[in-house]
Structure formats: structure tokens, C-alpha cells
């Protein structure tokens, strides 16, 4: 009897399975959810996920606010592709630790709640590899040496791209672009403009979620601040919770709790018709959320007043939009203000003269050099704070051509040269030994405060360890003050300008979840680092000349 019942079960399951051709239908049958919406997976409270789940486009980019059910979309896609489409999936998270947490928390929970999925996966013992019969789900972190390019899949899921090693995921995307069959889901809360998910989203259809206003019947969308009546004036104002949503077409109030009704038939609309329909982008904010109230949004908004880190958090996590703080990026206007009449061909310093010149080199396949003279109007313990920088020369060198640095040392009478230690540490050490006492290798290190420098000797070469953010703040800060504290030659190149503009100040969360200032690159940035290394050279050069009264030289 029980055998027959089993057979009926299997037959029923087979019939049902043949209907589960879309990811949304599949998920609604195969996934069981925990809090906050327990039971079968559904989209009543986040109707925007359905079309993202079922998109047939090759590239899908979701630029999203926090807690809108989008990560669950990524998990559903991964499981659906393995179960129904019988293909392997590479699921990438920012770090190996994130990957292992994901494997233990999200993946194992999905299995624990669903008997079907529990049976589907035949081997789940390995943290970063889950097998379902012949198919595999690879779970990887983007940082370190996990070589994403070498895992041969046509289905790639990138979860939180803005936190990833940018080179790693771009290589993984590049590898797929040559394939006929490919499916990418990249999702993230954005951070800064032209970076990570925002960069991907900009090249996409840029779809917004439109609904019919229940008051005026016009098609519209939720936008900040047009659609929120802000009540209350500060974070602690109890009236904030009286804030409410409104239609930007008719101005009438829309009930927060009625969202499941009026969003039920909402649709994704393309706002960038010029884009290839194979690159779909979706943007969604917390005004749509059923769990976040308008009052909570308003409190978060007030918190961002006069607090850049909180303003960023509001923009990124609540509005799903990138954020650029005041003065976060060097602009062309700032660069123009720094240009003076000198050129890189001006006469070189006299041998044995008193000019204070440092050199910074950012090495790699191509190395980038900045030669900087320092003008010191008054002597101070913190020379970097008082000195005016004058960029004398800049240029590049090939990885086989370290000899050029020797020539530049003599040509510019360099007192301190600072070169990054990696990737070619041996060449850097040899250079340091040729100019013993005048060359330092450098490496960025965590745990140092301000512009503190820790100098050690490693294999017969001095190595200066410094905090990256503080020194970038110092060198880039020169462009942002009025009057500027750096002078550029009038033949500064377009490339140098681009490298300066590509390093942008933002915030990341530290290990305790507190915002911490950091710099990210939106493109090539080597000249910026060479300039920063020249800046690090200033106190080192001053130490060499400390027995001379350098103030008299100027
Ligand atoms: Zn309306």
C-alpha cells in the first residue's frame, strides 16, 4: 500500500515539476521560508522580485536598497538553474568569510526548510562546493587568490558587487562575454557613482517599478523626496512617525499598509531605451518596502543631516542610490586651479643644491612616477601639513626598465624615493640597495593611525608601512582646499588628471559595523598612488636633511 502511495507521490511530483518552467513558479513550489514571511515562497510583500526572477536576459543587474528580498532572488536563481536547467552555478560573495557564512546560514537554511531541496543536493559537506547529482553550486569569495575565471560555468551570480575585489568580478564577467549561453545576476547596494553596481546599471535598461496610483489612476513610481510627506524636524522628533507616502502625480496620501494591493499589478518600465535588452537593470528603493515605514525613512534622512557617513547610508541603503560626499572626488575644476606656469621640461635642479625633492613610484607591468618638490614656508613638526607641493615631472617605466629610476634620482637630485613593495619586491629592493639611505619601499597596513609610519628593515631594504586612507587624504586634500596646496605643470597629461579623479572618498563598515573613511578607485589610479608615495617621502627626506636648516633655503 505504501509503495503505491509513494508511486502516486512521485508521479504527482513529476507532473508538478513539468509545470515549473519559470523561476518564480519553481520557487513558489520548492522554497519554504522562515521569518518575516513564513510559509511558501511568494512575492505578495515584494512584488518587484517576480520579473527579476524570470528575466531571460543574459545580464541582469539589480541596484537595490537593503532588505527588499533581492538576495533571495539570487538564491532562487542559483537553486532553480541547478534543479531545472541542470547547469552549474558560480555564486560569488565579497570575501571567503562571506562565502562560508552564506554556505552555512543561507544555503543550509534553505535546505533545512525544504524537503525537496534536501533531497536534491547529494553532497553538501564541502563549504564552497554543493553537489546536486551531476551539477554543482560553487560558492566563492572574490578576494585573495580565488581564481573565478577558472571555474567554467555559464551561470554567474554576483552578490554585493560593490564590496568585491573589482578586478576579480570584472574578469569573471569578461570570461562569460565570449560565450553564447550566459546568464549573469549581479546585485548590490550601491556605494559611489560610476563604481560597482552603479557602473553596470548605467549600461543597462535602467528599469523602475511603476504602479497605478489608487487615488488618481495614473502610472507612477515611488521617488524620494517627492513621494514622502516629511513630518518632524530631527531624529528625536516623535512626529517623524506621522510622515506618510504620497502620490507624486496627485499629491494624495498612499497607505503604507495597502502596498500589497496597489503594487500587485505594478510593472518594470525601461527608462534607458537606448540600452541593449540583453542587459536589464533594476533599481528599487525602500519607499516600496512593506517592512520599513515612512517614519523610519524620515528618521534616517534626518540622521544624514550634517553627518556624511549617515547621509551615505541613507542614500545607499534606503534609496538604493550611489552617494558622493562634498569634496569626495578631485574634479577638473580643482585640477585647473592648481596649474601653474612651469613644465616638465624646465631646467633640472643643480647638483648639491638645497631643493627638497622626493620621488614616488607605483610599480607594476607599467610603473608610474611622480617627482615632487616641497616648498616649506615655515618649519613644523608636521611637514605634510605646511608644505606646498610642486609636481615637477611625471612619467612611466616598463617592468624591465628599473634603470630609469636610477637616472631620475640623479637628474632630479632626489632626497627620498618611495616605491610600493609589490608586485616586484626584488627589483624594488635592488633599487633601494643601489641608493642606500635614499629609497624606501612602502606597503599599506591596517592598524596605524593618522600619518604614523612604521619603518622596519626587511632583507636589507627599509620598508615604510603606512595607513592608506590617511595618506590619500593628505595628498588628495591638497587639491580640495582653497587656495590649493599643490602646483601642477601646465603640460599635465589627461591620463594624470583621470588617475586623480578616479580615487574617491567614501565609507566602509569596520569590524564593529561603524563607518570608517576609505578610498575606492573607479578606474586606473597609478599616478595618484605615485603622488601619494612622493608625499610619504617628505618626512623621510626631511629626516635626511635634519642637520641642515632647510627653512633658509626658501
Ligand atoms: Zn495619484
Amino acid at each position: 500500500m505504501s509503495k503505491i502511495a509513494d508511486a502516486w507521490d512521485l508521479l504527482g511530483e513529476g507532473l508538478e515539476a513539468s509545470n515549473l518552467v519559470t523561476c518564480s513558479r519553481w520557487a513558489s513550489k520548492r522554497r519554504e521560508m522562515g521569518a518575516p514571511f513564513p510559509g511558501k515562497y511568494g512575492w505578495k510583500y515584494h512584488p518587484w522580485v517576480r520579473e527579476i526572477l524570470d528575466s531571460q536576459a543574459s545580464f541582469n543587474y539589480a541596484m537595490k536598497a537593503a532588505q527588499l528580498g533581492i538576495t533571495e532572488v539570487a538564491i532562487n536563481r542559483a537553486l532553480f538553474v541547478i534543479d531545472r536547467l541542470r547547469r552549474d552555478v558560480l555564486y560569488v560573495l565579497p570575501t571567503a568569510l562571506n562565502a562560508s557564512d552564506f554556505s552555512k546560514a543561507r544555503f543550509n537554511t534553505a535546505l533545512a526548510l525544504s524537503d525537496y531541496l534536501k533531497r536534491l543536493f547529494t553532497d553538501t559537506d564541502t563549504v564552497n562546493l554543493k553537489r546536486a547529482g551531476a551539477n554543482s553550486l560553487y560558492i566563492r569569495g572574490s578576494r585573495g587568490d580565488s581564481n573565478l575565471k577558472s571555474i567554467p560555468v555559464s551561470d554567474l551570480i554576483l552578490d554585493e558587487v560593490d564590496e568585491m575585489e573589482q578586478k576579480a568580478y570584472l574578469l569573471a564577467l569578461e570570461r562569460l562575454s565570449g560565450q553564447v549561453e550566459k546568464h549573469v545576476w549581479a546585485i548590490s547596494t550601491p556605494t559611489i557613482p560610476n563604481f560597482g553596481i552603479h557602473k553596470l546599471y548605467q549600461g543597462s535598461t535602467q528599469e523602475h517599478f511603476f504602479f497605478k496610483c489608487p487615488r488618481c489612476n495614473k502610472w507612477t513610481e515611488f521617488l524620494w523626496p517627492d513621494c514622502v510627506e516629511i513630518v518632524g524636524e530631527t531624529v528625536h522628533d516623535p512626529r517623524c512617525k506621522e510622515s506618510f507616502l504620497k502620490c507624486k502625480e496627485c499629491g494624495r496620501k498612499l497607505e503604507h499598509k495597502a502596498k500589497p494591493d496597489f503594487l500587485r499589478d505594478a510593472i518594470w518600465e525601461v527608462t534607458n531605451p537606448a540600452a541593449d535588452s540583453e542587459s536589464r537593470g533594476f533599481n528599487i528603493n525602500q519607499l516600496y518596502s512593506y517592512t520599513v515605514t515612512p517614519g523610519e525613512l524620515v528618521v534616517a534622512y534626518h540622521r544624514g543631516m550634517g553627518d556624511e557617513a549617515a547621509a551615505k547610508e541613507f542614500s545607499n541603503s534606503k534609496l538604493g542610490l550611489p552617494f558622493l560626499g562634498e569634496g569626495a572626488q578631485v574634479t577638473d575644476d580643482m585640477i585647473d586651479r592648481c596649474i601653474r606656469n612651469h613644465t616638465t621640461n624646465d631646467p633640472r635642479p643643480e647638483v648639491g643644491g638645497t631643493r627638497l625633492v622626493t620621488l614616488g613610484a607605483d610599480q607594476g607591468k607599467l610603473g608610474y612616477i611622480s617627482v615632487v618638490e616641497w616648498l616649506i614656508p615655515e618649519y613644523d613638526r608636521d611637514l605634510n601639513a605646511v608644505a606646498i607641493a610642486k609636481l615637477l615631472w611625471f612619467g612611466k617605466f616598463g617592468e624591465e626598465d628599473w634603470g630609469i629610476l636610477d637616472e631620475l634620482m640623479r637628474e632630479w637630485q632626489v632626497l627620498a624615493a618611495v616605491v610600493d613593495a609589490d608586485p616586484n619586491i626584488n627589483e624594488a629592493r635592488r633599487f633601494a640597495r643601489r641608493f642606500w639611505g635614499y629609497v624606501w619601499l612602502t606597503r599599506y597596513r591596517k592598524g596605524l593611525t593618522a600619518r604614523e609610519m612604521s619603518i622596519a628593515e626587511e632583507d636589507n631594504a627599509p620598508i615604510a608601512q603606512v595607513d592608506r586612507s590617511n595618506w590619500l587624504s593628505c595628498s588628495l586634500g591638497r587639491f580640495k582646499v582653497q587656495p590649493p596646496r599643490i602646483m601642477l605643470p601646465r603640460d599635465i597629461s589627461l591620463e594624470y588628471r583621470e588617475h586623480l579623479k578616479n580615487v574617491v572618498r567614501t565609507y566602509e563598515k569596520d569590524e564593529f559595523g561603524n563607518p570608517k573613511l576609505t578610498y575606492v578607485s573607479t578606474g586606473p589610479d597609478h599616478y595618484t598612488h605615485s603622488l601619494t608615495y612622493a608625499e610619504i617621502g617628505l618626512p623621510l627626506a626631511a629626516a635626511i636633511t635634519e642637520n641642515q636648516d632647510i627653512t633658509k633655503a626658501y
Side-chain angles (χ1 to χ4, degrees):
M1 191 62 191
S2 78
K3 271 193 181 153
I4 292 171
D6 278 357
W8 272 113
D9 262 9
L10 276 175
L11 184 60
E13 210 159 73
L15 286 172
E16 185 183 79
S18 66
N19 280 325
L20 305 182
V21 288
T22 63
C23 182
S24 61
R25 288 184 72 147
W26 178 90
S28 70
K29 290 288 184 225
R30 298 305 191 210
R31 294 287 315 276
E32 294 281 342
M33 309 305 293
F37 305 112
K40 289 268 184 241
Y41 178 81
W43 42 85
K44 183 178 173 194
Y45 299 105
H46 23 80
W48 48 87
V49 300
R50 186 174 190 177
E51 202 169 323
I52 309 178
L53 280 167
D54 293 340
S55 168
Q56 303 286 320
S58 297
F59 297 95
N60 302 276
Y61 307 126
M63 181 170 82
K64 51 136 194 131
Q67 296 162 332
L68 289 168
I70 308 286
T71 303
E72 217 55 54
V73 168
I75 296 169
N76 284 330
R77 282 299 312 181
L79 298 173
F80 170 73
V81 167
I82 284 178
D83 183 29
R84 292 291 311 183
L85 307 181
R86 302 284 157 98
R87 297 195 299 248
D88 297 339
V89 175
L90 171 57
Y91 198 112
V92 185
L93 292 118
T95 66
L97 189 64
N98 295 147
S100 131
D101 285 350
F102 174 88
S103 168
K104 285 177 200 143
R106 308 291 298 247
F107 179 84
N108 288 354
T109 305
L111 262 57
L113 292 169
S114 157
D115 288 335
Y116 179 82
L117 291 176
K118 222 178 290 171
R119 274 178 305 187
L120 173 68
F121 281 88
T122 45
D123 181 1
T124 59
D125 291 344
T126 312
V127 172
N128 57 15
L129 176 66
K130 310 290 180 189
R131 287 195 185 281
N135 295 112
S136 298
L137 169 63
Y138 301 90
I139 305 172
R140 293 287 190 276
S142 70
R143 292 180 196 275
D145 34 63
S146 86
N147 190 355
L148 302 179
K149 236 179 128 177
S150 67
I151 301 172
V153 296
S154 60
D155 287 72
L156 174 64
I157 294 173
L158 303 166
D159 190 346
E160 288 300 343
V161 293
D162 279 53
E163 311 298 325
M164 286 184 191
E165 171 86 44
Q166 301 292 300
K167 261 193 203 130
Y169 87 78
L170 289 172
L171 276 174
L173 276 178
E174 198 179 286
R175 190 191 64 79
L176 275 181
S177 66
Q179 273 176 233
V180 183
E181 182 83 6
K182 66 213 158 199
H183 303 275
V184 175
W185 262 261
I187 65 174
S188 191
T189 304
T191 49
I192 57 169
N194 301 315
F195 178 81
I197 195 72
H198 183 249
K199 202 173 201 169
L200 298 172
Y201 177 79
Q202 275 184 308
S204 77
T205 51
Q206 303 186 8
E207 297 176 39
H208 292 196
F209 201 55
F210 280 76
F211 59 94
K212 217 172 187 179
C213 167
R215 310 298 296 271
C216 70
N217 265 332
K218 286 198 181 112
W219 284 94
T220 188
E221 62 177 318
F222 275 139
L223 291 179
W224 177 276
D226 310 38
C227 299
V228 178
E229 187 66 38
I230 298 174
V231 185
E233 276 156 23
T234 64
V235 172
H236 304 292
D237 193 329
R239 290 177 304 154
C240 285
K241 63 174 183 296
E242 294 163 29
S243 303
F244 57 88
L245 294 168
K246 59 186 180 183
C247 166
K248 69 184 173 67
E249 317 302 326
C250 66
R252 281 184 278 182
K253 182 177 179 180
L254 296 176
E255 283 300 334
H256 169 65
K257 287 286 170 197
K259 279 175 192 164
D261 299 325
F262 66 79
L263 291 180
R264 191 173 45 217
D265 299 317
I267 48 169
W268 286 99
E269 285 267 4
V270 172
T271 69
N272 180 23
D276 180 352
S277 60
E278 283 302 308
S279 281
R280 291 188 72 180
F282 306 92
N283 180 219
I284 187 102
N285 62 54
Q286 282 192 351
L287 274 69
Y288 287 89
S289 168
Y290 185 70
T291 48
V292 180
T293 65
E296 288 170 311
L297 286 175
V298 167
V299 168
Y301 165 70
H302 286 317
R303 195 168 286 137
M305 290 286 145
D307 177 346
E308 193 174 88
K312 173 195 184 286
E313 182 67 14
F314 176 71
S315 189
N316 295 165
S317 297
K318 302 284 169 190
L319 303 185
L321 295 173
F323 176 85
L324 192 64
E326 176 97 29
Q329 187 174 25
V330 172
T331 63
D332 273 315
D333 279 351
M334 292 176 190
I335 294 171
D336 289 341
R337 285 205 313 253
C338 299
I339 291 177
R340 294 294 177 273
N341 210 23
H342 68 285
T343 79
T344 54
N345 295 315
D346 282 4
R348 290 1 192 186
E350 275 170 42
V351 174
T354 50
R355 291 169 72 179
L356 182 50
V357 176
T358 66
L359 178 151
D362 182 60
Q363 61 149 313
K365 271 209 173 355
L366 261 184
Y368 294 75
I369 302 165
S370 292
V371 177
V372 178
E373 178 172 8
W374 301 94
L375 310 176
I376 305 184
E378 50 178 320
Y379 190 76
D380 189 280
R381 279 184 61 85
D382 186 353
L383 277 182
N384 298 90
V386 293
I388 304 292
K390 182 179 182 185
L391 180 65
L392 297 177
W393 188 86
F394 58 91
K396 292 183 255 193
F397 67 104
E399 60 185 338
E400 309 294 327
D401 202 15
W402 281 71
I404 189 181
L405 290 174
D406 296 30
E407 288 165 34
L408 289 167
M409 291 297 284
R410 296 184 190 104
E411 184 178 342
W412 291 101
Q413 296 288 298
V414 173
L415 279 176
V418 175
V419 186
D420 57 341
D422 303 302
N424 195 341
I425 193 159
N426 291 327
E427 282 291 359
R429 280 182 185 141
R430 279 195 278 274
F431 172 51
R433 282 181 220 128
R434 289 197 296 277
F435 291 85
W436 183 255
Y438 294 90
V439 173
W440 286 260
L441 274 52
T442 190
R443 208 174 261 149
Y444 291 134
R445 197 187 93 183
K446 290 203 188 329
L448 293 166
T449 54
R451 291 195 301 276
E452 182 189 347
M453 215 182 273
S454 111
I455 299 191
E457 208 178 289
E458 220 185 82
D459 275 323
N460 272 331
I463 184 151
Q465 303 194 87
V466 298
D467 178 78
R468 182 176 185 270
S469 301
N470 281 303
W471 283 94
L472 281 168
S473 280
C474 181
S475 62
L476 292 174
R478 296 184 171 280
F479 294 86
K480 299 172 183 174
V481 288
Q482 191 62 287
R485 293 181 43 248
I486 182 164
M487 300 185 271
L488 300 176
R490 62 175 197 264
D491 54 349
I492 187 89
S493 69
L494 213 55
E495 188 182 23
Y496 205 110
R497 282 174 173 265
E498 290 307 314
H499 287 204
L500 287 170
K501 291 187 286 182
N502 282 341
V503 180
V504 181
R505 186 188 71 217
T506 182
Y507 296 85
E508 62 182 1
K509 295 235 166 78
D510 68 9
E511 57 197 300
F512 309 107
N514 298 316
K516 179 173 156 281
L517 193 120
T518 185
Y519 284 83
V520 296
S521 299
T522 59
D525 59 1
H526 309 290
Y527 276 127
T528 302
H529 291 293
S530 71
L531 181 66
T532 307
Y533 296 146
E535 179 93 44
I536 294 168
L538 172 59
L540 299 167
I544 293 170
T545 60
E546 70 183 350
N547 294 325
Q548 306 167 23
D549 187 355
I550 53 170
T551 54
K552 279 193 184 145
Y554 302 102

